[in-house]
């Protein structure tokens, strides 16, 4: 009867109730959404690289190096010489080393020059290795391996020809159209920037720039594929390289040695440390977002409280009648609280469904535009806590009108 | 005694100096039907609220159905009212968005009556009061005033109260409805042997009663000495 009374009473005031539910729904979508995206971004970033002890690039900030070498964001400051790479990679503590060369793109996706070792050594998300969905690693100079998203979005399959573009702009006018590449492998999805990367061999990168000078094509000079095969395409410089060491104990020593490398100014970073620096930078931003979403929730709850308080006034006769038929003042207190909770539950249900729908719709956009892989599973522990917090705050916010009803009942 | 008042005085806490009620002695026998008339503002509602236990005084003795209301805890008074006293007012007798059946059930809920018995009795009372089945499931706000007042009687009688307090219950009805309403009320009260305290300013209604009192004879507050 109690529940029935509360439900019918809310239905009776559906106009203001619906608006209050909507206000709370918006605040829940924002609150849960911010929290969810924040966590997912963290997980997604944290999963991007694993098993790599050091990343080495030209002298730059550690964040910058991390961003361009692993996340393919921003641009490298400078290249490093192949000699330095060989020297460091042959060190006795080094288990494996994988060079990377960046700077070109294909339809807006970054092209990364590397060695076939990359596919065997690189791992992500807790030591998961890269898998081929089809095909194999590149072996020829003009072979290319596509990340899963590149292949899916541009609907490429094995054997397709692709023409790389010079530079990293989404629409580049200087194309390496004299040397088309052939797709020999497509990687399985990883949920990391690997999915959006076009992988070629270092020799491939060297080959497409062979008749280029200072960033532009020299007109009239073209080299055929037959000629390429005979040429020495050993690169003179690369963008960065990843190191894995035999002994973790050597990491810091090697890092210091690289940072003090006398022949060339280099920077070595520990990916984990650089990531946590990134989080520290983001922390202020995250706190601000959280604060804003908390403020939205508070204002929505105050709205709920105001709506109920106004309803107490218009329900004075109802309260009086309930008293006459024997309702104790506590009943009225609980009735108003129950109404508030029903509104809150409705808003939580509506808000989570809405958030889910938004995530499903925005998933692809976030992945392609921001490289952010968001899971649509919002049933996390911390979100459950948020919902609980929301229910508790509802009870507190509704205490004001509930006490008012209680007092009205007591004093008649 | 169904009602027994001894040296009762009452003033609202907002104006402690101004006595609204001052009753040296007044009582009503069980099964009696009493008509009390008086102008509005004569302490009518205050008296009824004291008798139903919504208000409480610390001056004097308020006994209803042999129980001292002035000595009961708030909780017990609320329960006593739910179980033993029925009230019908001029208006606002029903929760407007609930239907007749839910209104009656709600009253039964506070008296903790057995559900099966309640359903049977609800049917019986509503039939006796001439509320047709289709009308029973409409929100009471959609019923006519006459129907609403009849549902209000059913609501007041569902817990088999020994005392029925009626405060101008027929004043919002037209003449024709008023007569049939009064006839129905009086027959139900007699049938169930309920003590009735009927308050109205309309002396024409006193024809239905044997005991007729003026509030000013009972209440000495505000009287010049």
């Amino acid at each position: 009867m109690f529940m029935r009374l509360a439900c019918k009473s809310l239905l009776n005031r559906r106009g203001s109730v619906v608006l209050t539910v909507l206000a709370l729904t918006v605040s829940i979508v924002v609150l849960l959404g911010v929290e969810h995206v924040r966590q997912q971004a963290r997980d997604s970033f944290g999963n991007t690289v694993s098993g790599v002890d050091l990343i080495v690039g030209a002298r730059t900030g550690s964040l910058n190096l991390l961003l361009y070498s692993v996340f393919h964001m921003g641009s490298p400051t400078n290249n490093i010489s192949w000699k330095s790479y060989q020297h460091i990679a042959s060190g006795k503590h080094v288990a494996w080393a994988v060079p990377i060369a960046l700077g070109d793109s294909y339809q807006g996706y970054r092209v990364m020059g590397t060695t076939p070792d990359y596919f065997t050594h690189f791992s992500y998300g807790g030591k998961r290795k890269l898998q081929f969905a089809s095909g194999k690693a590149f072996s020829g100079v003009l072979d290319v391996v596509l990340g899963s998203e590149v292949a899916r979005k541009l609907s490429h399959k094995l054997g397709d020809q692709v023409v790389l573009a010079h530079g990293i702009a989404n629409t580049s006018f200087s194309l390496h159209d004299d040397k088309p590449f052939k797709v020999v492998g497509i990687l399985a999805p990883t949920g990391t920037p690997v999915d959006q990367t076009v992988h070629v061999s270092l020799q491939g990168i060297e080959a497409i720039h062979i008749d280029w000078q200072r960033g532009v094509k020299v007109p009239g000079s073209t080299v055929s594929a037959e000629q390429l095969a005979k040429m020495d395409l050993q690169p003179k410089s690369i963008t960065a390289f990843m190191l894995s060491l035999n002994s973790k104990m050597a990491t810091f020593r090697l890092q210091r040695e690289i940072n003090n490398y006398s022949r060339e100014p280099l920077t070595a970073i520990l990916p984990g440390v650089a990531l946590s620096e990134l989080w520290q930078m983001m922390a202020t931003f995250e706190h601000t977002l959280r604060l804003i979403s908390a403020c939205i929730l508070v204002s929505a709850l105050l709205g709920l409280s105001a709506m109920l308080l106004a309803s107490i006034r218009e329900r004075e006769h109802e309260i009086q009648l309930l008293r006459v038929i024997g309702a104790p003042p506590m009943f009225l207190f609980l009735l108003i609280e129950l109404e508030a909770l029903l509104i809150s539950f409705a808003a939580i249900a509506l808000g989570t469904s809405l958030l889910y729908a938004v995530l499903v719709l925005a998933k692809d956009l976030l992945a392609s535009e921001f490289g952010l892989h968001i899971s649509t599973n919002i049933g996390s522990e911390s979100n459950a806590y948020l919902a609980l917090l929301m229910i508790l705050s509802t009870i507190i916010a509704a205490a004001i009108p509930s006490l008012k009803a209680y007092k009205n009942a007591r004093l008649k | 005694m169904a009602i027994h008042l001894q040296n009762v005085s009452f003033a609202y806490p907002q104006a402690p100096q101004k006595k609204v009620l001052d009753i040296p002695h007044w009582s009503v026998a069980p099964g009696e039907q009493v008509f009390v008339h008086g102008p509005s503002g004569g302490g009518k509602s205050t008296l009824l609220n004291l008798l139903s236990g919504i208000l409480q005084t610390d001056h004097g003795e308020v006994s209803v159905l042999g129980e001292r209301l002035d000595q009961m805890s708030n909780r017990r008074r609320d329960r006593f009212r739910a179980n033993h006293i029925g009230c019908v007012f001029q208006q606002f007798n029903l929760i407007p968005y609930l239907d007749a059946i839910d209104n009656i059930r709600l009253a039964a809920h506070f008296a903790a009556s057995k559900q099966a018995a309640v359903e049977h009795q609800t049917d019986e009372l509503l039939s006796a009061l001439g509320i047709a089945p289709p009308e029973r499931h409409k929100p009471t706000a959609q019923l006519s005033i006459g129907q609403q007042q009849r549902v209000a009687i059913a609501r007041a009688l569902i817990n088999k109260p020994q005392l029925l307090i009626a405060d101008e219950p027929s004043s919002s009805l037209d003449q024709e409805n008023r007569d049939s309403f009064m006839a129905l009320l009086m027959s139900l009260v007699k049938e169930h042997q309920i003590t009735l305290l009927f308050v109205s300013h309309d002396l024409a209604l006193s024809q239905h009663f044997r005991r007729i009192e003026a509030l000013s004879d009972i209440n000495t507050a505000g009287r010049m000495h």
Side-chain angles (χ1 to χ4, degrees), chain A residues 1-2 4-5 8-10 12 315 317-318 320-329 331 335 339 409-412, chain B residues 12 49 54-55 74-75 78-79 81-82 87 89 92-99 102-103 105-107 109-110 155:
Chain A
M1 203 62 232
F2 188 35
R4 203 178 164 84
L5 182 62
K8 292 237 171 154
S9 148
L10 288 177
N12 184 46
R315 295 165 78 188
H317 290 301
E318 196 181 317
Q320 186 57 27
L321 172 64
L322 285 168
R323 289 286 291 141
V324 164
I325 62 175
F331 178 89
L335 180 66
E339 288 184 5
R410 278 300 293 273
L411 299 173
K412 176 191 139 50
Chain B
Y12 283 98
N49 282 330
I54 289 175
L55 288 176
N74 290 334
R75 185 78 194 90
D78 290 340
R79 213 171 298 150
R81 175 169 63 254
C87 295
F89 305 105
F92 307 120
N93 278 305
L94 303 167
I95 307 250
Y97 48 83
L98 294 183
D99 63 20
D102 277 342
N103 264 291
R105 260 196 219 150
L106 191 62
H109 170 83
F110 291 113
R155 199 261 298 131

Side-chain angles (χ1 to χ4, degrees), chain B residues 40-52:
Chain B
S40 43
K44 240 177 8 180
S45 340
T46 310
L47 173 65
L48 298 186
N49 282 330
L50 269 183
L51 290 174
S52 62

Side-chain angles (χ1 to χ4, degrees), chain A residues 49 52-56 62-63 65-66 69-70 243 245 248-256 258-259 267-278:
Chain A
V49 58
V52 172
D53 294 313
L54 286 174
I55 296 173
V56 184
S62 58
L63 263 182
L65 177 54
L66 180 80
S69 64
V70 176
L243 285 179
L245 308 181
K248 303 294 164 201
M249 310 300 279
T251 309
F252 290 103
R253 190 150 47 95
L254 190 61
Q255 184 189 23
R256 200 169 54 244
I258 294 171
N259 285 337
T267 298
I269 57 161
L270 284 79
V273 173
L275 265 177
S276 64
E277 263 177 55
L278 182 65

Side-chain angles (χ1 to χ4, degrees), chain A residues 10-60:
Chain A
L10 288 177
L11 277 178
N12 184 46
R13 289 172 287 131
R14 46 184 104 66
S16 53
V17 169
V18 163
L19 286 178
T20 313
V21 168
L22 286 183
L24 272 173
T25 302
V26 168
S27 74
I28 286 166
V29 169
V30 172
L31 191 70
L32 290 186
V34 162
E35 196 58 23
H36 183 69
V37 170
R38 191 185 67 85
Q39 269 173 14
Q40 290 287 313
R42 237 167 220 245
D43 288 354
S44 157
F45 273 60
N47 278 338
T48 300
V49 58
S50 121
V52 172
D53 294 313
L54 286 174
I55 296 173
V56 184
R59 178 64 49 83
T60 178

